[in-house]
């Protein structure tokens, strides 16, 4: 929080410091030299001094984040890159971002795959070890989620679609390094989700709404619902319901600049319920991160 009644110079100083602290945290989480929070502090004493200013202390914060250190660090890097581009007036749509930013964002999405595998799938009886399933990964980007699902579940086939060419190129390049039995079960194609015309093909559909403009969401949901088998599982990434007005406004601004969406979990739950979806539930990811909404398609 900014100090109240700050003069402009103090406000700028506080904001600058906060951004540097966030960068230090991302650096520590992604540091390949460190195998533990304690090592992350030891290998860079200057960085550790920055992190010691965090509420709860540096090691306590790193401990809480360490299990998902790479995707959380990558997510921070992606957000910082987007914020820096916005400040420079050079924000681009997702399809036009640099390869480094695309890869960082893709790697951060692995956390969503882990939530799908460990919590959401089992809660609905999907994506369990040994089970067969066809999964549609909407907005697949560099294919990080598709790869994570196919690697974890040897009888699952994943189709990844995206409207942008460059992320798909990276996804296909990455696929060449995957074991043959994994790559054979992943298929990528350029596809606008609002023009998807498959019917009752998939058991599970994943669609991250923060990457879709709000204006196309209803049409996209209609299309993927038709592509789901009756009682199939739809999982939507949504923006968290944020009481902090500044945080909500900041997220909405970045989304508007990159062509993404602002729909919150509560709004998405309402929309799915109106469409007749059943067993609509929310699943938290990380503090301040996306809320995943799961639901069963009308049977």
């Amino acid at each position: 929080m900014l100090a109240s009644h700050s003069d402009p110079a103090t406000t700028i100083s506080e904001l600058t410091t906060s951004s540097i602290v966030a960068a230090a945290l991302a650096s520590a989480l992604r540091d390949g030299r460190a195998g533990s929070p304690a090592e992350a502090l030891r290998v860079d004493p200057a960085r550790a001094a920055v992190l010691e200013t965090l509420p709860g202390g540096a090691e306590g914060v790193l401990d809480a984040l360490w299990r998902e250190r790479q995707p959380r660090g990558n997510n921070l890097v992606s957000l910082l890159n987007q914020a820096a581009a916005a400040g420079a007036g050079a924000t681009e749509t997702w399809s036009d971002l640099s390869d480094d930013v695309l890869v960082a964002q893709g790697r951060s999405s692995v956390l969503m795959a882990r939530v799908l595998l460990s919590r959401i799938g089992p809660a609905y009886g999907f994506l369990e070890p040994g089970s067969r399933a066809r999964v549609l990964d909407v907005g697949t980007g560099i294919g990080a989620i598709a790869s994570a699902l196919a690697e974890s579940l040897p009888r699952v086939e994943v189709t990844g679609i995206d409207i942008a060419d460059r992320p798909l190129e990276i996804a296909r390049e990455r696929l060449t390094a995957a074991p043959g039995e994994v790559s054979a079960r992943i298929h990528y194609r350029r596809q606008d989700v609002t023009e998807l015309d498959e019917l009752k093909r998939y058991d599970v559909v994943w669609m991250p709404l923060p990457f879709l403009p709000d204006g196309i969401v209803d049409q996209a949901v209609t299309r993927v619902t038709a592509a789901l088998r009756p009682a199939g599982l739809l999982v939507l990434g949504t923006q968290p319901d944020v009481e902090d007005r500044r945080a909500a406004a900041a997220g909405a601004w970045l989304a508007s600049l990159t062509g993404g969406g602002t729909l919150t979990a509560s709004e998405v739950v309402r929309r799915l319920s109106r469409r007749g979806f059943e067993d609509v539930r929310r699943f938290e990811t990380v503090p301040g991160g996306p809320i995943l909404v799961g639901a069963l398609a009308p049977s």
Side-chain angles (χ1 to χ4, degrees), residues 212-230:
L212 273 65
D214 291 344
I216 72 166
V217 166
D218 284 336
Q219 186 178 1
V221 172
T222 295
R223 293 287 186 165
V224 299
T225 301
L228 269 172
R229 291 176 176 165

Side-chain angles (χ1 to χ4, degrees), residues 11-261:
T11 297
I12 291 174
S13 177
E14 291 176 352
L15 290 170
T16 301
T17 299
S18 294
S19 64
I20 294 171
V21 173
L25 180 58
S27 172
L29 291 170
R30 300 172 77 244
D31 197 330
R33 299 171 296 175
S36 69
E39 287 182 4
L41 297 175
R42 280 199 301 271
V43 297
D44 191 334
R47 184 179 67 196
V50 174
L51 296 177
E52 288 296 349
T53 66
L54 289 167
E59 194 158 353
V61 172
L62 289 174
D63 273 332
L65 300 173
W66 200 255
R67 185 178 174 206
E68 304 289 351
R69 56 179 295 205
Q70 288 295 336
R72 291 185 180 193
N74 289 333
N75 187 56
L76 266 176
V77 169
S78 177
L79 289 172
L80 289 167
N81 282 333
Q82 293 172 53
T91 305
E92 301 171 298
T93 62
W94 287 110
S95 60
D96 296 323
L97 295 173
S98 71
D99 286 0
D100 287 344
V101 176
L102 288 172
V103 171
Q105 179 61 45
R107 287 174 175 168
S108 73
S109 70
V110 172
L111 177 60
M112 305 302 110
R114 291 175 183 168
V115 176
L116 282 166
L117 290 166
S118 65
R119 294 168 54 202
I120 303 179
Y124 290 96
F126 288 86
L127 303 179
E128 296 177 329
S131 63
R132 290 184 180 276
R134 286 179 173 174
V135 179
L136 177 63
D137 176 17
V138 178
T140 192
I142 68 166
I145 289 178
S147 295
L149 294 178
E151 289 168 3
S152 299
L153 301 169
R155 303 178 75 184
V156 162
E157 295 182 10
V158 187
T159 298
I161 64 172
D162 206 295
I163 198 172
D165 289 323
R166 182 53 187 157
L168 286 171
E169 291 174 0
I170 297 174
R172 293 186 179 108
E173 290 167 5
R174 286 163 49 89
L175 200 56
T176 61
E181 66 87 17
V182 172
S183 62
R185 292 183 286 108
I186 301 175
H187 311 281
Y188 296 122
R189 71 172 187 262
R190 191 178 190 280
Q191 171 80 67
D192 184 336
V193 68
T194 65
E195 298 175 0
L196 186 68
D197 58 4
E198 294 170 294
L199 298 175
K200 299 180 181 180
R201 175 174 175 79
Y202 300 101
D203 303 286
V204 179
V205 172
W206 155 252
M207 185 162 62
L209 299 187
F211 293 91
L212 273 65
D214 291 344
I216 72 166
V217 166
D218 284 336
Q219 186 178 1
V221 172
T222 295
R223 293 287 186 165
V224 299
T225 301
L228 269 172
R229 291 176 176 165
L233 176 60
L234 175 63
V235 185
L236 301 177
T238 73
Q239 299 286 2
D241 295 287
V242 179
E243 294 183 3
D244 184 328
R245 187 177 67 178
R246 185 175 61 166
W253 180 55
L254 274 186
S256 71
L257 291 174
T258 56

